[in-house]
Amino acid sequence: MTVDTWCLTLEAPLEKAQALETILETSILMESEYPPTLSYFEQPGDANWKIELFVTGTPDENMLKALLRDAALKSVPYSLEKLEDRDWVSESQKLLKPVEAGRFYIYGSHDADSLPQDTINILIDAGQAFGTGQHETTWACLHTLDTIADTVKPKTILDLGTGTGVLAIAAKNLWPDSDILATDIDPIAIDVTVQNMDVNDVKISDKFGDKGIRCVTAEGLGHSSFTEYGPFDLITANILAGPLIDLAPALTAILRPGGTLILSGLLLTQEKEVLDAYRHQGPDNTLNWEMGRVEKGEWLALKLIKPLV
Ligand code: SAH
């Protein structure tokens, strides 16, 4: 997205800058869709402060002059310049540093020139879906996938709440022969996931047995693809504690005995209630999961292995 931004610059003592600020606050300019923003800062060795007024859209210079006059700045010289057009989305993306989690390296396209050789590199640009690897929960899920990579060989995988598709893509890299179902309640997330599959050279599929990733918009587990792809050997669900608890019976049911469930999106303080919900599954309501956990900050990923019997 490009925005047309102008900057009015002048120099004046601090009191004048403050007077301008007061007048601006009650000015009609503040009622526009993009109100102007004012900043002023001290200049070393100079009694005058530098004042910058940023205006979005082509400014009405007469209105700005009236503003300066009201702040007793009428005779102070000023400059009014259009700032270089900037793509703020990609500017902000550049601030995101690559994320390393186990063998995974999640990076944005601005870092594509400096990729490590010995990692699984996944390109995810920040955008409209959640899951750039920056969040603790995504990191904890990636880390958990890394820790199980050499010991399990899942053939069918579900990534519930796929967001950008990051976990599904990570899983596909670990287990190229698997069939993966990636679902999200949000259709935009599914569009983003499909794009990310494409840029990461991952096969998109629409049927089980293709050894690709099928991307489906679905709330919960009601869609027919769950029966087609399930039961699953591995499920990742980085959603929130509430839905994880609500989905405990259904998620347990579609996980194969001996299968691994990676749950995240929960805070450390929510661990017990989420675990309780999963323990209270099984025929006698006391399912004896084998358990592992990865903490990151205040967040947690749980690794639960469903007992064989
Ligand atoms: N898997 C990614 C994204 C996690 S964000 C990662 O680990 O980074 C959680 C995602 O789950 C969001 O995209 C949200 O739209 C989706 N979601 C939330 N509740 C859901 C539900 N009940 N069923 C399916 N998707 C859900």
Side-chain angles (χ1 to χ4, degrees):
M1 185 181 66
T2 55
V3 284
D4 194 11
T5 304
W6 292 69
C7 184
L8 179 134
T9 312
L10 67 161
E11 294 180 2
L14 175 61
E15 312 81 70
K16 293 275 179 67
Q18 289 168 332
L20 180 64
E21 187 170 35
T22 309
I23 287 160
L24 181 66
E25 275 162 15
T26 54
S27 154
I28 191 164
L29 287 167
M30 297 310 281
E31 288 166 26
S32 65
E33 191 182 356
Y34 302 107
T37 52
L38 179 76
S39 61
Y40 44 90
F41 39 92
E42 204 170 0
Q43 307 185 99
D46 194 334
N48 281 334
W49 286 49
K50 184 159 189 181
I51 305 173
E52 290 178 339
L53 180 69
F54 294 94
V55 181
T56 302
T58 311
D60 179 339
E61 196 164 352
N62 286 333
M63 218 174 225
L64 294 178
K65 279 185 180 159
L67 196 71
L68 295 180
R69 189 192 58 229
D70 293 348
L73 286 163
K74 189 179 163 198
S75 51
V76 177
Y78 68 84
S79 68
L80 180 61
E81 279 171 21
K82 182 168 177 248
L83 299 182
E84 186 193 333
D85 278 350
R86 296 174 98 166
D87 180 340
W88 293 105
V89 173
S90 69
E91 293 278 320
S92 61
Q93 281 175 351
K94 281 186 193 143
L95 298 174
L96 295 182
K97 298 271 162 278
V99 173
E100 284 176 72
R103 67 196 77 187
F104 300 110
Y105 186 85
I106 316 297
Y107 67 99
S109 31
H110 53 280
D111 280 315
D113 292 341
S114 51
L115 299 180
Q117 299 294 312
D118 52 354
T119 43
I120 296 177
N121 301 330
I122 301 177
L123 169 59
I124 303 282
D125 274 321
Q128 289 181 291
F130 185 103
T132 54
Q134 304 286 329
H135 196 269
E136 289 89 337
T137 57
T138 313
W139 184 92
C141 289
L142 289 168
H143 188 80
T144 309
L145 285 173
D146 179 65
T147 60
I148 64 171
D150 301 325
T151 49
V152 302
K153 297 273 170 282
K155 292 265 177 243
T156 60
I157 301 171
L158 167 65
D159 182 25
L160 181 76
T162 196
T164 55
V166 59
L167 300 180
I169 297 172
K172 191 72 206 161
N173 276 277
L174 293 179
W175 302 289
D177 286 340
S178 59
D179 281 290
I180 303 185
L181 177 63
T183 71
D184 204 289
I185 204 167
D186 176 3
I188 294 174
I190 291 301
D191 288 347
V192 171
T193 295
V194 168
Q195 286 164 27
N196 285 334
M197 306 274 158
D198 196 32
V199 295
N200 286 286
D201 285 331
V202 169
K203 182 177 168 187
I204 299 165
S205 145
D206 59 4
K207 71 171 194 304
F208 183 77
D210 264 2
K211 301 189 195 314
I213 304 184
R214 174 152 177 208
C215 307
V216 170
T217 304
E219 179 173 357
L221 311 177
H223 194 271
S224 59
S225 57
F226 288 91
T227 1
E228 190 189 340
Y229 279 68
F232 298 93
D233 302 316
L234 171 66
I235 299 177
T236 53
N238 180 9
I239 46 178
L240 293 171
L244 288 178
I245 292 170
D246 294 344
L247 290 169
L251 277 178
T252 306
I254 58 169
L255 182 68
R256 215 187 282 276
T260 307
L261 184 55
I262 298 173
L263 303 177
S264 196
L266 60 149
L267 293 160
L268 295 176
T269 51
Q270 297 167 322
E271 177 174 9
K272 187 178 175 310
E273 51 179 332
V274 172
L275 270 179
D276 281 351
Y278 284 80
R279 281 198 190 111
H280 291 144
Q281 303 303 320
D284 51 2
N285 267 349
T286 53
L287 199 60
N288 189 21
W289 300 89
E290 187 186 317
M291 205 205 115
R293 63 204 289 290
V294 173
E295 278 185 31
K296 177 91 167 157
E298 290 173 46
W299 298 89
L300 182 70
L302 292 169
K303 180 186 76 176
L304 301 176
I305 301 173
K306 191 172 173 181
L308 280 166
V309 283

